[in-house]
Amino acid sequence: MKIIYSAIGLKSFRENDTLNVAFIPTMGALHDGHLHLVKTAKSKGQFTVVSIFINPLQFNNKEDLLKYPKSIADDLKKLSEIETDLVFIPDFESIYPSNNFNEIQLPQTVLENVFEGKHRPGHFNGVVQVLNSLFNLVKPKYVYFGQKDLQQCMVVKKLIEFKFSEIEFNMVETIREISGLAMSSRNVRLNEKSLNFASEIFKSLTRIKQLKSISRIDCENEILRLKNYEISTEYLSIVSLPNFEETFEEKNAGAVVFAGVIDGVRLIDNLLL
Ligand code: AMP
């Protein structure tokens, strides 16, 4: 497994190869969800590049950024075990060169300004900036993103349509703990009790998915139910895809989406309908 730490290093590597690269951007603290993305690309025989970069621009909450878990040695071990081909661990200057950083402006629609966009102002703009920089450096042919961050997937698809039409976008299913809780780097900050309580999120999403017709009341009831488990819901609703417009009409319902806080840790999840 090759490891590259700078934009210059990656540029010179990419200049001398003719690889069709599959790219999986991450912020590290890797778990089986991340590894599943790599394994999916590997199962297609693709050359896999994983980046590890905690992108300050996408954190609207300073404390969340400071507390974001870091485990580079462990991450490298996991990536090497599944035979990742290349790991890119850039420094800030490699991603945002002070003498040559051009901010990209994605045309704004509803998508960037609702749900995650509303609750985390500036978040998607930060995601778009880091991916613009990473895509330009890595020059992937394929990219893999997790359904766990469904709204991010829709933003990435839009970025690709806008500027990187040569890239093939792939969305990969959410990997869960046995309890149903979606794997997340932030789960390590939860104690045993909160982990148990957090598994109620998946139960709520499943109950809503199983309903024949869904109303706002059903979502509100689940929000109340989650309160009993010390989960403070920011949103639990039904959206259309790809635009994330709230809807309770069956023909437009694309996904049930959730965000909430338990024990000071913000979690998100969703199920496709
Ligand atoms: P992050 O490190 O949180 O930026 O995530 C990197 C990539 O892993 C993103 O495409 C996420 O959607 C994806 N991911 C995170 N958690 C999971 C999961 N539980 N299952 C599948 N993919 C995931």
Side-chain angles (χ1 to χ4, degrees):
M1 184 171 81
K2 196 172 171 59
I3 306 174
I4 295 179
Y5 291 93
S6 69
I8 296 173
L10 188 68
K11 270 184 200 151
S12 70
F13 177 81
R14 289 301 275 126
E15 268 164 20
N16 299 314
D17 75 59
T18 52
L19 295 163
N20 286 331
V21 161
F23 180 42
I24 298 104
T26 82
M27 298 200 295
L30 302 181
H31 50 65
D32 286 351
H34 296 113
L35 301 184
H36 184 61
L37 299 179
V38 185
K39 287 180 191 166
T40 304
K42 283 221 66 107
S43 72
K44 298 184 195 174
Q46 296 165 356
F47 185 93
T48 47
V49 176
V50 174
S51 66
I52 299 178
F53 178 70
I54 300 179
N55 175 32
L57 268 59
Q58 73 187 70
F59 284 81
N60 58 310
N61 179 328
K62 215 175 167 194
E63 196 183 326
D64 191 28
L65 173 61
L66 289 173
K67 284 191 178 165
Y68 202 83
K70 294 163 200 76
S71 53
I72 284 286
D74 202 37
D75 291 349
L76 290 174
K77 187 162 170 275
K78 287 177 181 168
L79 291 173
S80 158
E81 276 166 8
I82 60 165
E83 299 180 354
T84 305
D85 295 292
L86 195 160
V87 188
F88 180 43
I89 313 177
D91 56 359
F92 187 84
E93 182 66 22
S94 287
I95 298 297
Y96 302 115
S98 41
N99 60 351
N100 182 25
F101 171 56
N102 294 315
E103 198 167 304
I104 173 178
Q105 291 295 342
L106 203 57
Q108 295 286 298
T109 53
V110 170
L111 177 62
E112 296 81 12
N113 298 300
V114 291
F115 295 97
E116 287 306 281
K118 183 172 159 199
H119 287 270
R120 303 184 69 187
H123 170 65
F124 286 128
N125 182 48
V127 169
V128 165
Q129 301 313 322
V130 76
L131 291 180
N132 181 42
S133 177
L134 284 167
F135 287 177
N136 280 325
L137 290 168
V138 176
K139 302 194 189 309
K141 181 154 179 15
Y142 318 98
V143 290
Y144 290 82
F145 286 82
Q147 186 203 314
K148 156 123 183 317
D149 299 279
L150 183 61
Q151 197 174 356
Q152 170 173 279
C153 283
M154 299 304 128
V155 172
V156 176
K157 268 174 117 168
K158 196 170 147 181
L159 169 66
I160 288 176
E161 276 160 28
F162 180 65
K163 197 178 160 200
F164 297 95
S165 55
E166 70 284 6
I167 298 179
E168 179 192 294
F169 174 84
N170 294 275
M171 184 167 88
V172 180
E173 70 198 296
T174 303
I175 301 299
R176 301 179 179 280
E177 304 289 352
I178 294 166
S179 67
L181 175 65
M183 289 191 182
S184 162
S185 304
R186 292 182 176 87
N187 290 355
V188 298
R189 289 168 48 199
L190 295 175
N191 61 27
E192 205 178 327
K193 180 181 154 205
S194 303
L195 275 173
N196 275 332
F197 280 3
S199 65
E200 296 296 326
I201 296 165
F202 179 63
K203 288 188 199 152
S204 283
L205 294 177
T206 306
R207 284 154 69 113
I208 288 182
K209 186 179 165 91
Q210 284 168 349
L211 291 173
K212 285 234 155 52
S213 67
I214 308 160
S215 66
R216 193 182 288 278
I217 300 282
D218 295 312
C219 292
E220 283 168 2
N221 283 340
E222 288 304 324
I223 293 173
L224 285 177
R225 200 185 73 80
L226 290 174
K227 250 192 176 161
N228 298 327
Y229 297 94
E230 298 173 15
I231 297 165
S232 162
T233 301
E234 284 180 5
Y235 60 77
L236 198 176
S237 195
I238 314 293
V239 298
S240 64
L241 295 177
N243 289 332
F244 264 70
E245 280 165 314
E246 186 172 55
T247 179
F248 293 95
E249 283 175 47
E250 211 172 314
K251 64 175 186 349
N252 296 326
V256 50
V257 294
F258 166 90
V261 178
I262 176 162
D263 203 8
V265 180
R266 188 173 187 276
L267 300 176
I268 61 168
D269 200 353
N270 68 83
L271 289 177
L272 296 177
L273 296 175

